[in-house]
Amino acid sequence: MILAVVVCVLAFSKAAVALDNGLMRTPPMGWLAWERFRCDIDCDNDPKNCISENLFRDMADRLAEDGWKELGYVYVNIDDCWSSMDRDNNGRLQPDPKRFPGGIANLARYLHDRGLKLGIYGDLGTHTCGGYPGTTLDKIQTDAQTFADWGVDMLKLDGCYSNASYQEQGYPLMTKALNATGRPIGYSCSWPAYQGGLPPKVNYTLLGEICNLWRNYGDIQDSWDSVLNIIDWFFDNQDVLQPAAGPGRWNDPDMVSQEHFTLMCESDSIIPD
Ligand code: GLA
């Protein structure tokens, strides 16, 4: 009887934290701003390349009109430096008003109208890696709800300006908060990249329950050496990494192309949704 109760309690607590969005049965495919456009916020001098709603509309047009969408590249993902330096009066994140005058909800609508999905970036900590407002523990619910209200489809949650125990609390709390919004939002966790990427520090079983994908390793840079370095690391650690992946839970080598995913996944699971 006691055993039954214990099993029951364990089952319940696990169910309470598991990510419940049914998304990403195959590895998500799309486009993310960081590698190319970084934190370019100088729209006065560099209007074509700065982080702004125009950039994401342009990229949406490219995916929708140039055949990428048909291949499965449906996510258009904002990375760092999109927000204003201050939260609004209700403590909610807000986009930089000059660079995103139409707001994020409008941008999401633009993408949805073209059969695409919008990703956004947050950081579990006091600041994002680029120094913008972070999601502290007390702001997790607010930020999840804000993203849901805007119609966001995916969240990359980075881990700058926090520490190991903060991350251990925060990443599962965001899972719960995303579930609670009722909107299916794909959840990309940078957590393992901040833990060295390997067990025993990284618990891939837990990650598979609370995140749809996770960054295991360092940032990709604009060089072939960087691509090779990432591939080598995944190759060397494939016995640990391959079993961690499956429908709804994926290793993320950071914007390395689909050919690399084929190394990591069963070949029949790379066909896009
Ligand atoms: C970290 C992440 C990158 C990118 C930048 C943004 O370095 O690993 O992928 O999001 O922050 O500042």
Side-chain angles (χ1 to χ4, degrees):
M1 178 60 187
I2 290 175
L3 186 63
V5 170
V6 170
V7 169
C8 198
V9 168
L10 283 178
F12 182 76
S13 57
K14 197 175 156 191
V17 81
L19 187 61
D20 181 23
N21 61 21
L23 294 174
M24 302 184 179
R25 310 311 293 167
T26 58
M29 291 161 62
W31 179 87
L32 177 70
W34 183 254
E35 194 278 333
R36 169 68 181 80
F37 295 96
R38 304 283 160 162
C39 195
D40 180 351
I41 55 169
D42 188 1
C43 291
D44 290 336
N45 295 309
D46 199 11
K48 285 237 175 301
N49 297 302
C50 66
I51 300 300
S52 72
E53 61 185 36
N54 292 338
L55 176 69
F56 295 97
R57 282 173 195 247
D58 273 1
M59 293 304 151
D61 293 347
R62 297 284 58 78
L63 291 195
E65 293 166 25
D66 297 353
W68 297 97
K69 187 177 82 173
E70 280 66 37
L71 295 175
Y73 290 87
V74 294
Y75 285 95
V76 175
N77 287 18
I78 303 172
D79 206 276
D80 204 349
C81 309
W82 60 270
S83 81
S84 160
M85 279 298 182
D86 299 302
R87 288 174 176 265
D88 72 12
N89 291 339
N90 298 315
R92 290 162 64 115
L93 290 170
Q94 52 186 348
D96 180 275
K98 193 171 164 202
R99 294 181 285 118
F100 293 85
I104 304 294
N106 252 325
L107 182 59
R109 255 192 303 278
Y110 186 89
L111 268 77
H112 295 159
D113 288 348
R114 285 152 184 78
L116 300 169
K117 294 168 185 276
L118 178 66
I120 207 162
Y121 169 99
D123 184 287
L124 180 67
T126 54
H127 296 87
T128 73
C129 300
Y132 287 77
T135 303
T136 44
L137 293 179
D138 58 314
K139 286 285 189 286
I140 286 179
Q141 278 179 319
T142 307
D143 291 355
Q145 192 57 52
T146 302
F147 299 144
D149 291 346
W150 286 341
V152 163
D153 304 291
M154 179 172 169
L155 168 66
K156 168 179 172 180
L157 192 61
D158 214 337
C160 272
Y161 300 107
S162 59
N163 58 37
S165 71
Y166 209 83
Q167 292 168 5
E168 197 175 328
Q169 292 178 71
Y171 279 99
L173 279 178
M174 181 57 88
T175 304
K176 282 191 191 177
L178 291 173
N179 283 345
T181 68
R183 180 174 177 82
I185 297 179
Y187 183 27
S188 167
C189 301
S190 297
W191 189 14
Y194 287 86
Q195 300 172 300
L198 295 172
K201 278 200 176 156
V202 176
N203 178 347
Y204 278 110
T205 308
L206 173 65
L207 278 169
E209 287 163 4
I210 67 167
C211 310
N212 292 116
L213 70 158
W214 45 80
R215 281 283 309 278
N216 315 67
Y217 190 61
D219 293 359
I220 194 169
Q221 309 298 334
D222 197 1
S223 75
W224 185 237
D225 278 353
S226 165
V227 174
L228 287 183
N229 176 266
I230 292 174
I231 291 178
D232 282 347
W233 188 86
F234 277 81
F235 177 81
D236 290 344
N237 297 297
Q238 60 183 300
D239 291 347
V240 168
L241 301 175
Q242 192 280 332
R249 50 187 174 89
W250 304 105
N251 296 298
D252 173 6
D254 196 18
M255 295 182 274
V256 179
S257 69
Q258 187 177 350
E259 292 88 85
H260 183 225
F261 276 126
T262 59
L263 296 176
M264 304 303 305
C265 319
E266 298 287 333
S267 57
D268 65 351
S269 62
I270 59 159
I271 301 158
D273 284 316

